Amino acid sequence: MRKKVIAGNWKMNMLPNEAIEYIQEFEGLVKDTKNEVILCVPYIDLFYCLNSAQGTNIKIGAQNMHWEEKGAFTGEVSAQMLKSIGVEYVILGHSERRQYFAETDETVNKKIKAAFENGLKPIVCVGETLEQRESGKTAEIITTQTRLALDGLTNDQVKNTIIAYEPIWAIGTGKTATSEDANNSIKEIRAEIEKNYGKDVADEVIIQYGGSVKSANAKELFSMSDIDGGLVGGASLKPDEFAKIVNFDK
Ligand code: 13P
């Protein structure tokens, strides 16, 4: 039985003092959940969040990293650096990074490998645009992104990869995929993993849904057979709203 993993992606929001206040309020609201709770926060908030979340069930993640360990890459942060301060997760290949910062399937793959080499767990985003969806290419796009992202990983590494299926047209738009549609796309992703790594691996991989998740739709989405939780943007910025999403099964 796969557990539910619910991650907030704060994107480029929250100053350190706001982040500390958030965790002080949020912590008490989610302390009894059996679901895994992750906050993926801006680099400058990481240290403050790690400190504030100490001794709680809240895990902290970053939103990106470079694949090289160190060197002349001005403005970049490596997996080793994240790990050194206690970060556990990192979002890789978010569609905003693919769209605005020229992230490719190849760089996503390099980053996933670097994350594992340094003991970080990647949350890897895949998803189709509206145009791709309307031309019937959803399955092809998301299975190709999945295959290329995971290329060359061991079975164990694939088992420990979290995939977030985030249809791009549903991000920040208030439009959610129907729970059936989201579940079907996630089944396609799982079938692609089964094809390349076997049923044992595919059955264990956590695959989240992301795109306009809120407390009003979380229960319906997360109760589907193949949706193992969510990656939540806007609705993760308010501790009470995000706590309701984490506690969707209460
Ligand atoms: P929203 O929940 O704001 O639609 O964002 C989803 C997302 O991109 C999470 O990574």
Side-chain angles (χ1 to χ4, degrees):
M1 186 63 184
R2 294 183 299 269
K3 65 180 169 199
K4 302 287 181 190
V5 180
I6 298 158
N9 174 8
W10 283 357
K11 307 192 178 181
M12 198 170 71
N13 294 289
M14 299 284 230
L15 300 174
N17 61 321
E18 296 169 323
I20 293 166
E21 274 173 32
Y22 180 111
I23 291 182
Q24 281 167 351
E25 183 180 343
F26 184 60
E27 171 207 339
L29 302 173
V30 297
K31 67 178 180 357
D32 297 325
T33 185
K34 42 182 201 336
N35 303 324
E36 191 154 329
V37 192
I38 307 167
L39 287 174
C40 296
V41 308
Y43 291 132
I44 58 144
D45 293 332
L46 283 170
F47 190 72
Y48 298 97
C49 288
L50 285 160
N51 269 341
S52 301
Q54 237 174 42
T56 75
N57 56 338
I58 303 165
K59 310 269 172 61
I60 302 297
Q63 301 172 5
N64 180 40
M65 49 162 250
H66 197 275
W67 61 85
E68 292 288 349
E69 207 150 85
K70 58 175 133 174
F73 301 100
T74 303
E76 291 292 329
V77 170
S78 72
Q80 190 188 44
M81 289 171 167
L82 295 175
K83 184 69 185 177
S84 74
I85 62 165
V87 172
E88 286 183 66
Y89 292 87
V90 60
I91 297 175
L92 295 174
H94 191 281
S95 61
E96 287 150 15
R97 296 217 53 91
R98 293 181 193 250
Q99 187 180 350
Y100 307 132
F101 303 99
E103 192 92 78
T104 64
D105 289 320
E106 193 192 346
T107 58
V108 173
N109 177 254
K110 283 190 192 176
K111 289 180 179 193
I112 298 171
K113 288 176 177 157
F116 277 121
E117 277 161 22
N118 288 279
L120 294 175
K121 291 181 208 156
I123 302 175
V124 180
C125 303
V126 300
E128 81 286 1
T129 63
L130 186 58
E131 196 189 349
Q132 289 163 338
R133 183 177 195 83
E134 285 175 344
S135 53
K137 295 211 177 97
T138 299
E140 179 194 328
I141 295 291
I142 61 181
T143 54
T144 304
Q145 285 177 341
T146 303
R147 179 170 51 76
L148 296 175
L150 303 179
D151 188 43
L153 298 189
T154 65
N155 283 10
D156 252 10
Q157 288 172 332
V158 175
K159 274 187 198 170
N160 285 299
T161 302
I162 296 175
I163 304 211
Y165 167 58
E166 299 205 305
I168 294 167
W169 49 271
I171 294 178
T173 57
K175 289 186 202 152
T176 333
T178 65
S179 46
E180 283 80 20
D181 266 358
N183 200 47
N184 284 338
S185 291
I186 288 178
K187 280 185 176 170
E188 301 270 9
I189 294 169
R190 207 178 292 288
E192 177 68 22
I193 296 173
E194 179 169 341
K195 198 167 83 189
N196 301 320
Y197 301 92
K199 185 162 168 29
D200 281 4
V201 175
D203 282 346
E204 271 194 48
V205 177
I206 300 289
I207 310 182
Q208 303 171 314
Y209 167 78
S212 298
V213 174
K214 45 185 189 274
S215 58
N217 58 25
K219 185 168 185 166
E220 186 185 339
L221 286 160
F222 301 169
S223 303
M224 299 301 287
S225 64
D226 279 66
I227 305 183
D228 306 322
L231 184 57
V232 184
S236 74
L237 294 173
K238 298 229 162 66
D240 52 342
E241 169 67 3
F242 190 44
K244 282 188 199 153
I245 297 174
V246 168
N247 294 321
F248 75 95
D249 48 357
K250 286 255 163 70

